Amino acid sequence: MSDALPTFLDERVRVLIGDITTHDVTAIVNAANSTLLGGGGVDGAIHRIGGPQIYAECKQIRETTHPNGLPTGEAVITTGGNLAAQYVIHTVGPIYGRNPAREAELLAACYDNSLRIARQYAVLSIAFPSISTGAFGYPKPAAAAISSRAIRDFLTTDNQIREVRLVFFHPSDARVFLEYQEFE
Ligand code: APR
């Protein structure tokens, strides 16, 4: 089913269905919370499968550069641990309704900042989950428009990152994304 899903931007962007932790890409993006110390959803899966090294590096980030936690919209990078991916890029999405005036901008920043760090680390392929659309309650149609615009805007200025995968856990989420995406 996932192979039949369309691609965008000269096939640099692929929409797929499944568990993001199984993807063999250079970097997987984690939908974290500001503590960086784990949680449920994608966060839980990445720590469970990726193992304690990821947690250890997140803890080190909390003890050094981000003692008060990672602010919403920002991103940091750690090892991929036992995952096939070399790196995990942790970003904190907005909690829907918490800051209505800035939530769209903050969600876009999650994608943009994750791609910026990926470029800094010479990442060639990166997989994103649908940030903030689970526990953080962001409406999927609005998130689709925001994430696709942010990814499109970044990729038009970058020619290093060869592949961006958007991995949806549920087929219905992929369908909503395809209906509301603004790649084209
Ligand atoms: N692979 C791909 N997508 C997944 C996976 C997975 N293994 N697990 C969940 N998802 C999907 C969810 O269905 C949802 O569409 O990822 C999207 C994001 O959901 P969450 O993981 O709940 O992330 P978010 O909404 O950003 O909330 C973050 O939840 O897990 C906690 O610690 C995390 O506090 C943070 C909050």
Side-chain angles (χ1 to χ4, degrees):
M1 158 68 171
S2 54
D3 293 348
L5 294 179
T7 64
F8 300 94
L9 303 184
D10 298 328
E11 302 197 346
R12 285 177 84 184
V13 177
R14 291 174 61 201
V15 176
L16 297 159
I17 295 164
D19 176 348
I20 197 166
T21 63
T22 66
H23 282 255
D24 188 359
V25 288
T26 322
I28 287 176
V29 176
N30 181 21
N33 59 60
S34 59
T35 72
L36 289 178
L37 300 178
V42 175
D43 200 2
I46 285 176
H47 281 281
R48 190 168 55 252
I49 312 288
Q53 227 186 320
I54 298 175
Y55 181 85
E57 289 192 17
C58 285
K59 201 157 174 297
Q60 200 177 19
I61 289 169
R62 285 298 314 276
E63 289 161 0
T64 53
T65 55
H66 291 81
N68 302 320
L70 184 65
T72 300
E74 294 189 19
V76 291
I77 191 167
T78 68
T79 177
N82 302 324
L83 294 167
Q86 188 180 350
Y87 300 114
V88 174
I89 293 172
H90 307 261
T91 191
V92 180
I95 298 172
Y96 190 68
R98 185 66 65 86
N99 187 349
R102 294 200 61 217
E103 58 204 5
E105 165 204 337
L106 288 167
L107 182 57
C110 286
Y111 288 89
D112 189 58
N113 286 323
S114 296
L115 288 163
R116 284 174 190 278
I117 283 190
R119 182 162 54 191
Q120 270 179 284
Y121 281 72
V123 166
L124 293 180
S125 55
I126 183 168
F128 282 97
S130 180
I131 296 166
S132 278
T133 65
F136 280 1
Y138 216 105
K140 298 179 195 303
I146 293 162
S147 60
S148 55
R149 275 201 306 267
I151 293 166
R152 180 200 61 202
D153 292 352
F154 182 90
L155 291 183
T156 49
T157 69
D158 171 87
N159 57 18
Q160 174 198 293
I161 296 178
R162 296 313 312 144
E163 182 183 0
V164 176
R165 297 183 186 181
L166 304 179
V167 183
F168 295 90
F169 212 35
H170 307 293
S172 56
D173 293 344
R175 274 195 294 275
V176 170
F177 177 82
L178 290 172
E179 188 181 342
Y180 290 91
Q181 56 77 20
E182 294 191 1
F183 286 119
E184 58 192 33

